[in-house]
Amino acid sequence: MVDLPAADPPADYASASESEGHGSEHSERSQHAKEEKEDDLLAGFADDEASVELMHSRLRSLEGLSFERFTELKYLGFRQNLLSDTTPLASLANVPTLKELDLYDNRLKRVDSGVAALTQLEYLDLSFNNIRAIEGVDAMIDLRDLFFVSNKIQTIENLSRLALLRQLELGANRIRAIQNLDQLECLEELYLGKNKITRLENLGGLRKLRILSIQSNRITRIEGLEKLELLEELYLSHNGIERIENLEANTRLTILDVTKNRIAELSGIAHLQQLEDLWASGNQLASFENIEAACGSLSALRTVYFEFNPIQLTQPANYRRKLMLTLPQITQIDATLCRR
């Protein structure tokens, strides 16, 4: 019997064995490269950096990023990333200099423990996420500016301890009622546009409010503003308001926006002697005589928007000339300066 020579192992066997080893090495190298890449994101920042911005970096996780070395950090920004979890940020709770955190346009579904731990914050932007409730911010008693624009919030809540808050932005959510704001005595700017609010109410405690924006809601009547004596700018466009009324106490108004409502006649503004801008495009105003009666005595008035009303649509050729004759004090009609 002749002994046959040992057969060479199949070529694919050898390559498979080698590839398994190489695959393991490749995986380790990839992981190492990933860690190095994450480290590199912060490599260009000095330890004493006051501002760190990682915008549009396609970050999915904050794991492996060493924030704790920034002992003098004041601002930290992650705008336009893919973050769904911020728990590693809790390591910055002991950095008292950190005052501003920007998480605009990520994938957060809630305010988790990472953000909630940063009770030293004065500015927090959580806009354009998928957050369903205002939570995790009630211990941030030093907050001055808070942004929850374009989330999925249904109720205004958990803000009563934020006594120093000056600006609150809750636009483009699912809010149906103005509520739980009574304790915000320092609030100066409130933005509630593009929600589902049907009534102006529960605003009496906001005595320092200067700007109120409640555009694109379901408001049908101007009311509930009598205690807002410091109000300077009121934005009510794209609602269902039929008349301007109940502004007797708001004599400091400089801007009044009632664009795209159902107003057929101007009234209730003759006492607003500080009014500089009146925006009333897209209503049902048909009388220059009415405009003169309502606005003629407003000596501070400089800009008016009346386009897309019957007074402009029915006589476009004479519209601007008639307005300039009717209101000689104005310097701008719609988007164009007046030429005299």
Side-chain angles (χ1 to χ4, degrees), residues 297-324:
S297 64
L298 301 179
S299 58
L301 191 63
R302 294 293 179 268
T303 299
V304 295
Y305 280 79
F306 290 130
E307 60 186 342
F308 306 118
N309 278 282
I311 58 169
Q312 184 260 331
L313 296 174
T314 59
Q315 42 188 321
N318 296 321
Y319 162 68
R320 291 181 59 82
R321 182 181 62 83
K322 281 193 173 184
L323 265 184
M324 285 189 282

Side-chain angles (χ1 to χ4, degrees), residues 131-198:
I131 297 170
R132 295 182 176 274
I134 300 174
E135 59 185 356
V137 299
D138 55 311
M140 300 178 185
I141 58 174
D142 292 324
L143 267 183
R144 267 68 166 180
D145 302 278
L146 179 59
F147 302 85
F148 275 104
V149 185
S150 194
N151 279 281
K152 298 179 180 179
I153 294 167
Q154 298 184 30
T155 305
I156 301 174
E157 60 186 340
N158 299 321
L159 298 173
S160 60
R161 297 181 62 194
L162 310 185
L164 299 179
L165 199 64
R166 293 178 308 194
Q167 180 177 191
L168 177 60
E169 168 65 275
L170 295 172
N173 278 284
R174 301 173 180 178
I175 297 168
R176 294 183 178 274
I178 302 173
Q179 60 186 339
N180 301 322
L181 296 174
D182 295 343
Q183 305 302 316
L184 306 183
E185 297 180 355
C186 291
L187 197 67
E188 297 181 10
E189 302 179 24
L190 176 60
Y191 300 91
L192 294 168
K194 204 175 179 183
N195 277 286
K196 300 178 180 180
I197 298 168
T198 58

Side-chain angles (χ1 to χ4, degrees), residues 96-241:
T97 57
L98 181 61
K99 300 299 181 184
E100 300 183 24
L101 178 61
D102 191 343
L103 287 160
Y104 177 103
D105 194 6
N106 277 276
R107 295 181 177 179
L108 303 177
K109 293 185 177 180
R110 63 187 182 91
V111 181
D112 61 31
S113 59
V115 172
L118 306 179
T119 58
Q120 73 273 39
L121 291 177
E122 295 180 2
Y123 176 103
L124 176 60
D125 193 344
L126 292 163
S127 300
F128 289 88
N129 280 280
N130 297 305
I131 297 170
R132 295 182 176 274
I134 300 174
E135 59 185 356
V137 299
D138 55 311
M140 300 178 185
I141 58 174
D142 292 324
L143 267 183
R144 267 68 166 180
D145 302 278
L146 179 59
F147 302 85
F148 275 104
V149 185
S150 194
N151 279 281
K152 298 179 180 179
I153 294 167
Q154 298 184 30
T155 305
I156 301 174
E157 60 186 340
N158 299 321
L159 298 173
S160 60
R161 297 181 62 194
L162 310 185
L164 299 179
L165 199 64
R166 293 178 308 194
Q167 180 177 191
L168 177 60
E169 168 65 275
L170 295 172
N173 278 284
R174 301 173 180 178
I175 297 168
R176 294 183 178 274
I178 302 173
Q179 60 186 339
N180 301 322
L181 296 174
D182 295 343
Q183 305 302 316
L184 306 183
E185 297 180 355
C186 291
L187 197 67
E188 297 181 10
E189 302 179 24
L190 176 60
Y191 300 91
L192 294 168
K194 204 175 179 183
N195 277 286
K196 300 178 180 180
I197 298 168
T198 58
R199 187 177 179 187
L200 288 170
E201 60 183 341
N202 300 320
L203 294 166
L206 308 180
R207 301 297 182 91
K208 294 185 178 181
L209 200 67
R210 294 185 304 103
I211 300 175
L212 174 60
S213 176
I214 190 162
Q215 302 164 318
S216 299
N217 276 276
R218 300 173 182 178
I219 305 296
T220 58
R221 188 181 181 203
I222 300 175
E223 60 184 337
L225 306 178
E226 60 275 359
K227 294 183 179 180
L228 307 184
E229 296 180 357
L230 300 183
L231 196 64
E232 297 175 5
E233 301 178 19
L234 178 58
Y235 301 94
L236 295 164
S237 66
H238 295 85
N239 279 285
I241 297 167

Side-chain angles (χ1 to χ4, degrees), residues 211-213 215 222 232-238 241 244 254-261 263 266 269 275-283 285 295 298 301-307 309 319 332-335:
I211 300 175
L212 174 60
S213 176
Q215 302 164 318
I222 300 175
E232 297 175 5
E233 301 178 19
L234 178 58
Y235 301 94
L236 295 164
S237 66
H238 295 85
I241 297 167
I244 301 174
T254 61
I255 298 176
L256 176 59
D257 178 11
V258 289
T259 303
K260 287 289 183 76
N261 277 280
I263 299 168
L266 286 182
I269 60 174
L275 193 67
E276 299 175 5
D277 285 54
L278 175 59
W279 306 344
S281 299
N283 280 280
L285 301 174
C295 305
L298 301 179
L301 191 63
R302 294 293 179 268
T303 299
V304 295
Y305 280 79
F306 290 130
E307 60 186 342
N309 278 282
Y319 162 68
Q332 180 177 327
I333 298 173
D334 303 327

